[in-house]
Amino acid sequence: ELSIAENIFLDKLPRSAGLVRYTHLYEQTGNLLKQFGMGGIDPATPVKRLGVGSRQLVEIARGLRQDCRVLILDEPTASLTDQEAKVLFEHIRRLRNKGVAIVYISHRMEEINRLADRITILRDGQRVGEYAAGELTPGQMIRNMVGRELTTMAVSSTAASDMVLRVVDLNRPPRVRNVSFDLHRGEILGFAGLNGAGRTEAMRCIFGADKPHSGSIYLYGDNNPTPISSPALAVRHGIAWLSEDRKDEGLILTQAVCRNITLTRMSGVSRWGWIQTSRERQVGESSCQILDIRCQNVEQAASSLSGGNQQKIILAKWLWRDCNILICDEPTRGIDVGAKFEIYRLLRQLAAKGKAIIMISSELSELLALCDRIAVMSVGKLTAVFDRQEFDQDAIMTAAFAEHLKSSPQTITA
């Protein structure tokens, strides 16, 4: 409910005669936000109006602003783009050089190798070992983390020619500006871009969570646009939404695992308006077995499961609904490397069965590894679409900066 400025300086608000000096507060916050590439955001903006990635940056800015001796960062780049992560790394190195001790928790191997002096590996709540930086390869670290070898997934395209979704000139300024693309059966279409590029906002329009100002959505090869004015209508047309904010938007954390799974199609576990608990448990147990959801029992609260298992529950509930189009927004955010591979495998299996998948990710490496095509957005516009044989990391990043360079020409250096 509070502003960005109030969140960052909550314990150190500038005051005069007992009153908060907001002009000074916003000036301080504006200078700090510029250091994190958020100079265009009004410091008076309530945090609740920010996306998950921007909230993460605000939280990091608050932590780095404090004059601390020990700084603990838990998955700080989970919602950040590569460019934003680079800015964070610069701040971390600056603090280390000033003598601040830093504990950095992450599942991203390249970050650990880049930043750490010593590496401690945990598995199932126990310390597996401690190593000097550079002592282990990423593959060896992963083996220690998951306790087994993870085989590289061979990706072969399952995309068919028949179109299941066509979006024409979707427009909801300023975050979505005349976006057009198509999606085919059996395809995984990735969406890349910087934080705030408009990827999530465009998908929310397609799902009916936000109303577009203009544009048309065509489903399953129909020549007439399909009006989708609410999430309920989207679900009725076979569109699923896996939100990046799984705790607030994807799950009812206080409810049982089986209840979360069956919520999308209650008619399948009820009779004459009454829920059949035995049928509900049966569906939950079957889903847990198929997706390898690890829980003590299906009546366990979803809040007590790990992030990876919570993500699988969200996937399970839409499989129970049997939706044909799945929009996955940051499906591997904040989950361990073993669970990531499981999510990758499940998504490819769904595509092989004819499901069409849109995948938004801030990790370009996973889009390159998993997708059949990658669409790139920059400041609300779709600037390029790459087929798999055209995948090139530099070209994709150039497309992600395209609109930024138009509005403010400058040299971008890595």
Side-chain angles (χ1 to χ4, degrees), residues 77 79-86 108 193-196 199 362:
T77 62
S79 300
L80 306 186
T81 64
D82 291 342
Q83 197 66 24
E84 290 162 344
K86 287 178 183 177
R108 297 183 177 183
L194 305 179
N195 185 31
R199 298 167 297 169
S362 298

Side-chain angles (χ1 to χ4, degrees), residues 134-246:
E135 189 176 341
L136 295 181
T137 66
Q140 289 171 325
M141 279 196 283
I142 290 171
R143 276 198 300 277
N144 282 329
M145 287 171 65
V146 300
R148 66 184 190 278
E149 193 81 45
L150 287 178
T151 55
T152 303
M153 181 177 56
V155 175
S156 56
S157 178
T158 55
S161 58
D162 44 332
M163 197 181 299
V164 297
L165 173 69
R166 182 161 59 97
V167 176
V168 179
D169 290 333
L170 195 67
N171 194 39
R172 183 184 166 89
R175 289 297 182 88
V176 184
R177 298 186 289 160
N178 300 318
V179 171
S180 300
F181 66 92
D182 52 53
L183 178 69
H184 299 85
R185 183 169 58 85
E187 178 183 35
I188 299 182
L189 173 62
F191 269 78
L194 305 179
N195 185 31
R199 298 167 297 169
T200 296
E201 290 81 358
M203 298 309 140
R204 285 178 61 87
C205 289
I206 293 170
F207 190 64
D210 293 330
K211 186 177 180 180
H213 291 190
S214 60
S216 301
I217 298 169
Y218 299 84
L219 290 174
Y220 311 114
D222 195 344
N223 290 324
N224 297 314
T226 305
I228 299 177
S229 56
S230 69
L233 276 175
V235 172
R236 203 172 301 161
H237 285 293
I239 303 175
W241 170 261
L242 284 75
S243 169
E244 66 173 326
D245 191 352
R246 59 176 170 263

Side-chain angles (χ1 to χ4, degrees), residues 155-383:
V155 175
S156 56
S157 178
T158 55
S161 58
D162 44 332
M163 197 181 299
V164 297
L165 173 69
R166 182 161 59 97
V167 176
V168 179
D169 290 333
L170 195 67
N171 194 39
R172 183 184 166 89
R175 289 297 182 88
V176 184
R177 298 186 289 160
N178 300 318
V179 171
S180 300
F181 66 92
D182 52 53
L183 178 69
H184 299 85
R185 183 169 58 85
E187 178 183 35
I188 299 182
L189 173 62
F191 269 78
L194 305 179
N195 185 31
R199 298 167 297 169
T200 296
E201 290 81 358
M203 298 309 140
R204 285 178 61 87
C205 289
I206 293 170
F207 190 64
D210 293 330
K211 186 177 180 180
H213 291 190
S214 60
S216 301
I217 298 169
Y218 299 84
L219 290 174
Y220 311 114
D222 195 344
N223 290 324
N224 297 314
T226 305
I228 299 177
S229 56
S230 69
L233 276 175
V235 172
R236 203 172 301 161
H237 285 293
I239 303 175
W241 170 261
L242 284 75
S243 169
E244 66 173 326
D245 191 352
R246 59 176 170 263
K247 293 185 183 296
D248 286 341
E249 298 179 355
L251 296 167
I252 303 177
L253 293 172
T254 56
Q255 292 291 325
V257 170
C258 59
R259 180 65 50 85
N260 273 279
I261 291 173
T262 57
L263 271 174
T264 54
R265 187 162 64 92
M266 294 295 291
S267 60
V269 293
S270 60
R271 191 174 182 186
W272 298 322
W274 293 90
I275 294 174
Q276 298 177 296
T277 54
S278 59
R279 173 62 177 155
E280 189 178 52
R281 284 196 301 269
Q282 182 184 8
V283 171
E285 288 166 357
S286 175
S287 296
C288 288
Q289 186 175 3
I290 292 170
L291 298 186
D292 192 26
I293 300 171
R294 299 179 185 182
C295 56
Q296 294 174 355
N297 58 70
V298 295
E299 294 179 344
Q300 183 180 352
S303 59
S304 61
L305 271 63
S306 68
N309 284 304
Q310 288 179 350
Q311 195 66 43
K312 289 181 185 178
I313 293 173
I314 298 173
L315 196 53
K317 77 177 185 180
W318 292 117
L319 294 183
W320 169 240
R321 177 76 194 192
D322 196 26
C323 289
N324 294 314
I325 299 171
L326 283 78
I327 303 174
C328 305
D329 194 354
E330 303 285 1
T332 64
R333 181 177 66 86
I335 65 177
D336 67 69
V337 67
K340 276 189 179 184
F341 272 76
E342 285 296 306
I343 297 293
Y344 297 160
R345 180 182 60 81
L346 291 170
L347 291 177
R348 282 301 346 169
Q349 285 180 351
L350 290 172
K353 291 178 180 178
K355 305 295 185 185
I357 299 169
I358 293 173
M359 181 174 176
I360 302 170
S361 178
S362 298
E363 291 191 50
L364 185 53
S365 57
E366 73 179 7
L367 293 178
L368 292 169
L370 200 63
C371 297
D372 300 296
R373 290 185 299 146
I374 296 176
V376 187
M377 289 188 67
S378 177
V379 196
K381 286 189 175 182
L382 200 155
T383 54

Side-chain angles (χ1 to χ4, degrees), residues 108-122:
R108 297 183 177 183
M109 301 297 99
E110 70 280 2
E111 293 179 5
I112 295 291
N113 279 326
R114 185 186 305 182
L115 293 172
D117 299 301
R118 287 184 297 123
I119 300 168
T120 297
I121 297 176
L122 303 178

